[in-house]
Amino acid sequence: MRTVTVVGASLAGLYAARELRAQGFDGRLVIVGDEPHRPYDRPPLSKEYLTGLADEDRLALTDAEESADLDAEWLLGVGARGLDARGRTVLLDDGRTVSTDGVVVATGASARRLTGDHPSGDRLSGVHTLRTLDDARALRAELARGPRRVVVVGGGFIGAETASSCAALGHEVTVVEAAPLPLVPQLGPELAAVCAALHLRGGVGLVTGASVSALRGGATVTGVALTDGRVLPAEVVIVGIGATPNTAWLAGSALVLNDGVLCDDGCVTSLPQVVAVGDVARVGGTRAEHWTSATRQPRAAVANLLAGRTVQSARSVPYFWSDQYGARLQFAGRRRADDRVRVVEGGVSDGAPGEDGLLARYERNGRTTAVLAVDRPRSFQRARRELAHEADRVPV
C-alpha cells in the first residue's frame, strides 16, 4: 500500500495511525477529521474538564513531537461525505477527494437528540449535549454563570458523570431516566439499583420510568415536560440519551451498515482494504462505545489491513469504567439476564455501595462471566485477569 487514509481524527483514529507506523507502513498517511481539533481525550469532558480541574491542554492525545514522527497529512475541519464503491477514494465535504489504497473508518458516533415539541436540534438556549470538545466548552461556560436548575436527560454513564459534575459545582440537579433504573442493560437490575443510589447519596434527584415529552420555553429553556404529566423546572438541560454511529457518509458504498459498520472479528469490513475501529465499528456482532475498545482494536485492524486479510482477532473481554460522585465503577465481562449475582467483597449500605466499596461477580454454570467493582480497584484487576484467562480457554 502506498496511501492509507484514516477517516476520523478520534482516539481510535489516532491509535490506528500509530499502529500503521509501528507496524512498518512508511507510505502516505492521511488523517481526516470533521472537527478542527487534533485528537483529544473524551472521558474527562464530563468530569475534570467540566468541573474546571483540567484545562484543554490536558485533553490533547498527541504533541508536536509525535505529530512529526507520524508524518501524516492532517485534513481537519472537513468531514467525509462518501467512499466510492471500491473503497479507493474518499470524498470530502469541501469537494476534495483523497485517492487511497486502504481506509480506516474511525468516524465515531454523534449524540442522539431529543424528539418532541422542542428537540435539542432547534437550538433552544440552555439545551446541551456532551460529546465533543465544543459541546463541553459551551456547557462549561454556561455552568460557570452561577447556580442553575439542571435536568439531565438519560441516566447512562455520560448522564451520571455529568450530573455528578454539575452537583459538585453546586447546581440543583435532577436526572430523568426512561427505564425503571439507570444502567439496567449494562449491570442488571440488582446492581443497577445499588449504583442508582449513588445519585441520591450525591444529592441529585432521580426520576425513573418517565421520558421527555417536550421542552418548555421560548428562546430559552424553562422546563422539561415528562410523559407522566410532570414538568420539571430547568434553566439548563443536558441530553445524554446515547449516541448514533457516524455512518451516513458511507451510504452507497460497498460496506454493510447496521448500527455501525459491520466487521468480522478482526475489524475487517466487506472490503478487505477497509477496516473500521472504535465507536463506529460493529466487530464480530458487537459495537462497544468504550475507551478500551478504541485503543485495542486498531492493532489487529491495522495488521489485517496491511495483510489484506484477517490474520488477527480484535475480540477481547469487554471493559469499561465510570467515575460518579467520588466513586469509581469498573466492569468487565459479558453479562446475561439469567446470570446469578453475588457480592463477594464489601457490601451495600442504605441501598448504595458501602464505605469500602464492593466487588460483585456475575456467574453462569459455575463460572464467572462478568465482574463489577465500586472502589475496589485491586480486587477488580485480579478478577479481570481471571476473566481474560478463562476467555482464552472457554468460548463465551
Side-chain angles (χ1 to χ4, degrees):
M1 288 188 175
R2 295 183 177 181
T3 301
V4 174
T5 302
V6 178
V7 186
S10 57
L11 174 70
L14 175 62
Y15 269 70
R18 289 171 174 170
E19 284 294 336
L20 281 160
R21 293 309 191 204
Q23 295 187 34
F25 176 72
D26 59 1
R28 181 188 180 207
L29 174 57
V30 182
I31 302 175
V32 178
D34 60 353
E35 294 185 58
H37 317 293
R38 292 287 178 107
Y40 57 87
D41 206 15
R42 293 186 191 275
L45 294 181
S46 59
K47 300 184 282 288
E48 297 93 341
Y49 179 78
L50 200 58
T51 57
L53 296 178
D55 289 324
E56 292 183 17
D57 57 351
R58 294 265 304 274
L59 303 178
L61 290 171
T62 185
D63 56 22
E65 182 178 356
E66 182 184 26
S67 294
D69 290 341
L70 282 177
D71 189 25
E73 297 176 35
W74 294 85
L75 304 181
L76 299 178
V78 58
R81 65 176 177 85
L83 178 69
D84 75 341
R86 297 180 303 110
R88 301 293 188 183
T89 304
V90 177
L91 314 176
L92 303 183
D93 283 337
D94 62 5
R96 285 180 291 174
T97 61
V98 180
S99 297
T100 189
D101 303 300
V103 175
V104 180
V105 178
T107 43
S110 298
R112 284 197 176 97
R113 303 283 179 173
L114 283 174
T115 57
D117 292 346
H118 276 301
S120 56
D122 286 349
R123 297 294 182 259
L124 262 182
S125 177
V127 179
H128 299 263
T129 56
L130 185 53
R131 182 78 187 180
T132 68
L133 175 56
D134 290 338
D135 291 340
R137 283 174 173 171
L139 180 56
R140 177 167 149 165
E142 178 139 25
L143 294 174
R145 292 167 54 192
R148 294 286 189 273
R149 289 175 294 186
V150 178
V151 173
V152 177
V153 182
F157 293 112
I158 291 296
E161 291 170 0
T162 306
S164 172
S165 295
C166 290
L169 290 169
H171 301 287
E172 179 185 329
V173 185
T174 303
V175 173
V176 177
E177 169 58 50
L181 284 168
L183 302 178
V184 167
Q186 295 88 353
L187 306 181
E190 301 97 330
L191 293 175
V194 172
C195 292
L198 292 172
H199 291 289
L200 306 181
R201 194 169 75 183
V204 169
L206 178 61
V207 176
T208 60
S211 55
V212 175
S213 62
L215 300 182
R216 302 296 190 205
T220 302
V221 69
T222 59
V224 177
L226 304 182
T227 50
D228 62 8
R230 282 181 286 179
V231 177
L232 304 177
E235 293 145 317
V236 177
V237 175
I238 303 164
V239 181
I241 54 175
T244 303
N246 292 325
T247 58
W249 70 282
L250 294 168
S253 72
L255 302 188
V256 181
L257 309 177
N258 182 12
D259 186 37
V261 179
L262 267 62
C263 311
D264 66 12
D265 283 355
C267 301
V268 179
T269 72
S270 49
L271 295 174
Q273 72 275 17
V274 180
V275 297
V277 292
D279 293 355
V280 74
R282 180 166 290 277
V283 179
T286 301
R287 190 172 68 84
E289 296 179 8
H290 299 301
W291 192 91
T292 47
S293 299
T295 57
R296 290 183 175 179
Q297 291 170 355
R299 177 172 295 180
V302 165
N304 297 332
L305 178 66
L306 296 178
R309 60 189 177 89
T310 302
V311 295
Q312 286 189 26
S313 172
R315 297 273 286 176
S316 62
V317 175
Y319 165 67
F320 60 81
W321 80 91
S322 179
D323 296 315
Q324 309 170 18
Y325 306 104
R328 167 154 286 200
L329 282 62
Q330 294 173 285
F331 182 94
R334 295 181 175 88
R335 183 196 72 85
R336 292 182 185 171
D338 58 349
D339 286 352
R340 178 193 177 202
V341 179
R342 286 194 306 129
V343 176
V344 296
E345 293 183 21
V348 177
S349 175
D350 295 327
E355 290 186 5
D356 56 351
L358 63 82
L359 179 75
R361 291 179 179 268
Y362 298 81
E363 297 173 336
R364 185 189 322 139
N365 299 327
R367 65 187 184 92
T368 299
T369 59
V371 291
L372 170 71
V374 180
D375 293 334
R376 287 265 175 165
R378 292 182 180 177
S379 298
F380 175 81
Q381 291 303 332
R382 287 195 296 269
R384 185 184 175 195
R385 285 194 295 269
E386 292 169 8
L387 273 177
H389 179 70
E390 183 72 10
D392 289 339
R393 297 194 303 111
V394 182
V396 177

